């Protein structure tokens, strides 16, 4: 059922960054038979701790040493955002495949250069880790929309909500400005929503009108730093006050290709929502709703006959969705499986000779997401509609 789970003769991978998401990459690669041969951290001491914790055999002392290693054929970038451009460009120039966490870089000038460099190297896989695309029912939604089940698309709406930054004592490096758009909720999780909505609908967001809000103008920063999703900092550690300029909340009204309308909101301050992406696409013949907190179900709305709750079951799904669903109906697939399916598409494309359209989010997709963020930032500042540069 679906694609093979274990890949033979895959390139050896070096992991850059071992924070919250780095170990997810490591576990994912091992599930599909891709060897993780080395790790690079901000210094060799941290690299040694990460290597010991994750069972990685080699620690690189710096980026140059990693790129010069002929045994490393692919690089996974899970480091802080401000070093993505340097690391991704170095990997491309060294002839290595590269899968980068979002954002691809901080500015569209940087992402444009990376997209151009990737296009000049068509045999190198260059992807961005928009893993939400790879929940099977997201592919099912895409297939149904493409074959016209919803009729003419009218609107695309939804949200992405979390609560891990609800309190002023909650702190993480993500609340700090990046010196570019200085977006946080929109760029951190809103980009996942925008990528998924465009992937599923086959449409592009062309214009935006944005409203951003800061609920906590000051937060308490733990002395010595903090990790993602670790909860309130002030209860156990010394803190210092920090002025906040990145948004806790954002709402974006959108004009899509062909006159389609839409709106979504994003916040990391909604109590009880741990990590919920909700997407609703409405057309003249029906609508579909998918919720990442119930990823194995989607609601299909109809007028004139009963609506339906569709449960993930490869035996009755579109072939494109069946191919990325490896367990029978009733056997839940979730966050780690979406990572696995993205990695399988990435390394399966490499194993197939890197021919045909890339079946994973590309550097070109990552470039457009940063252009979207820049348009949203301009709109919020000027209080007007802004076109997305292309």
């Amino acid at each position: 059922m679906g694609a093979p789970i274990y890949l033979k003769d895959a390139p050896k991978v070096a992991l850059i960054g071992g924070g919250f998401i780095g170990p997810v990459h490591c576990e994912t690669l091992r599930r599909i038979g891709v060897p993780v041969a080395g790790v690079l951290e901000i210094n060799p001491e941290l690299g040694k701790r990460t290597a010991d914790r994750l069972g990685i055999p080699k620690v690189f002392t710096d980026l140059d040493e990693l790129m010069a290693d002929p045994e490393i054929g692919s690089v996974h970038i899970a480091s802080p955002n401000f070093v993505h451009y340097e690391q991704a460009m170095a990997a491309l120039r060294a002839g290595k495949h590269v899968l980068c966490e979002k954002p691809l870089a901080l500015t569209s000038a940087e992402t444009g250069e990376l997209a151009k460099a990737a296009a000049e190297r068509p045999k190198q896989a260059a992807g961005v880790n928009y893993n939400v695309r790879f929940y099977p029912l997201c592919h099912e939604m895409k297939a149904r929309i493409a074959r016209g089940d919803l009729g003419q698309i009218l609107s695309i709406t939804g949200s992405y909500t979390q609560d891990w930054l609800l309190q002023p004592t909650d702190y993480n490096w993500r609340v700090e400005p990046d010196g570019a758009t200085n977006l946080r909720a929109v760029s951190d999780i809103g980009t996942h929503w925008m990528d998924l909505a465009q992937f599923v609908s086959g449409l592009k967001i062309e214009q935006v009108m944005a409203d951003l809000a800061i609920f906590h103008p000051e937060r308490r920063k733990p002395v010595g730093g903090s990790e993602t999703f670790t909860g309130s900092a002030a209860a156990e550690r010394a803190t210092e006050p920090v002025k906040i300029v990145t948004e806790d909340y954002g709402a974006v009204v959108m004009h899509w290709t062909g006159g389609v309308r839409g709106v979504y909101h994003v916040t990391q301050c909604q109590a009880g929502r741990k990590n919920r992406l909700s997407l609703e696409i409405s057309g003249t013949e029906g609508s579909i709703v998918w919720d990442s907190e119930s990823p194995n179900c989607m609601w299909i709305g109809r007028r004139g006959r009963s609506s339906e709750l569709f449960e993930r079951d490869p035996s009755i799904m579109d072939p494109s969705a069946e191919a990325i669903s490896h367990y029978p109906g009733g056997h839940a697939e979730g966050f780690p499986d979406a990572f696995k399916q993205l990695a399988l598409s990435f390394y399966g494309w490499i194993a197939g000779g890197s021919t045909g359209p890339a079946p994973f989010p590309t550097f070109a997709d990552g470039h457009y997401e940063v252009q979207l963020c820049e348009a949203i930032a301009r709109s919020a500042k000027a209080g007007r509609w802004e076109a997305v540069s292309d």
Side-chain angles (χ1 to χ4, degrees):
M1 183 181 301
I5 296 179
Y6 196 85
L7 294 174
K8 296 180 180 179
D9 302 321
K12 291 184 178 180
V13 172
L15 174 66
I16 303 180
F20 162 65
I21 210 67
V24 181
H25 283 262
C26 189
E27 175 188 324
T28 296
L29 293 169
R30 286 172 174 158
R31 285 183 70 184
I32 64 173
V34 177
V36 183
V39 63
L40 175 66
E41 288 275 24
I42 193 170
N43 57 60
E45 293 74 26
L46 179 57
K48 179 64 165 57
R49 292 198 295 273
T50 299
D52 290 344
R53 176 165 51 96
L54 299 179
I56 299 174
K58 185 172 184 177
V59 177
F60 293 102
T61 58
D62 56 35
L63 187 63
D64 289 340
E65 182 189 9
L66 188 164
M67 296 305 163
D69 190 330
E71 289 195 343
I72 299 298
S74 183
V75 177
H76 282 227
I77 298 173
S79 53
N81 302 344
F82 70 92
V83 289
H84 286 184
Y85 171 78
E86 175 192 8
Q87 293 169 349
M89 186 62 81
L92 287 174
R93 289 172 174 166
K96 303 183 190 301
H97 307 293
V98 55
L99 183 62
C100 185
E101 278 296 325
K102 52 80 197 160
L104 179 57
L106 296 183
T107 70
S108 63
E110 291 179 339
T111 57
E113 289 180 21
L114 287 168
K116 181 175 183 292
E120 292 169 348
R121 299 163 170 83
K123 291 297 184 180
Q124 285 176 244
V128 184
N129 195 52
Y130 287 113
N131 60 291
V132 185
R133 288 190 190 190
F134 285 86
Y135 285 92
L137 289 185
C138 292
H139 274 57
E140 181 71 17
M141 289 175 71
K142 180 179 178 65
R144 290 176 180 235
I145 291 168
R147 70 184 183 224
D149 288 13
L150 301 190
Q152 178 187 346
I153 301 302
L154 302 174
S155 65
I156 301 172
T157 59
S159 62
Y160 202 144
T161 52
Q162 299 175 328
D163 74 354
W164 68 289
L165 292 174
L166 174 61
Q167 304 297 337
T169 48
D170 296 326
Y171 198 91
N172 177 263
W173 62 265
R174 287 173 173 81
V175 308
E176 299 168 3
D178 61 17
T181 62
N182 292 334
L183 295 176
R184 185 231 309 164
V186 168
S187 64
D188 185 28
I189 56 178
T191 48
H192 274 296
W193 188 95
M194 293 186 291
D195 177 77
L196 179 65
Q198 292 179 106
F199 170 73
V200 167
S201 68
L203 305 174
K204 284 286 191 181
I205 302 169
E206 296 181 334
Q207 290 183 306
V208 295
M209 168 70 86
D211 176 53
L212 308 179
I214 299 170
F215 297 144
H216 300 302
E218 181 180 283
R219 288 181 180 268
R220 304 296 304 188
K221 179 179 181 179
V223 176
S226 64
E227 295 294 332
T228 307
F229 298 126
T230 52
S232 185
E236 300 178 357
R237 302 175 59 182
T239 63
E240 57 186 1
V242 174
K243 181 181 178 181
I244 299 300
V245 298
T246 60
E247 84 284 359
D248 293 306
Y249 172 91
V252 184
V253 184
M254 299 162 287
H255 289 170
W256 293 71
T257 310
V260 174
R261 295 300 195 260
V263 61
Y264 84 101
H265 73 271
V266 57
T267 182
Q268 294 167 318
C269 296
Q270 185 166 338
R273 290 300 185 191
K274 304 307 176 185
N275 190 49
R276 179 181 186 247
L277 187 156
S278 175
L279 175 62
E280 181 162 355
I281 300 183
S282 301
T284 55
E285 301 300 323
S287 59
I288 298 180
V289 182
W290 181 78
D291 182 335
S292 69
E293 289 190 345
S294 302
N296 289 274
C297 296
M298 69 181 186
W299 182 82
I300 303 170
R302 301 184 177 96
R303 177 175 170 174
R305 56 193 176 104
S306 296
S307 297
E308 173 187 356
L309 186 64
F310 181 90
E311 296 190 39
R312 184 197 59 79
D313 182 346
S315 68
I316 57 174
M317 288 160 60
D318 184 86
S320 65
E322 178 191 1
I324 64 162
S325 187
H326 287 169
Y327 299 101
H331 297 74
E333 293 184 344
F335 178 80
D337 301 291
F339 259 77
K340 180 191 76 174
Q341 298 295 353
L342 192 158
L344 278 171
S345 76
F346 188 82
Y347 287 99
W349 187 74
I350 294 170
S354 304
T355 59
F360 49 83
T362 65
F363 275 21
D365 296 320
H367 174 50
Y368 198 75
E369 289 296 326
V370 172
Q371 289 179 306
L372 271 167
C373 285
E374 290 177 343
I376 289 169
R378 293 196 306 268
S379 173
K381 182 177 181 180
R384 63 172 181 247
W385 283 95
E386 287 285 342
V388 182
S389 301
D390 195 3

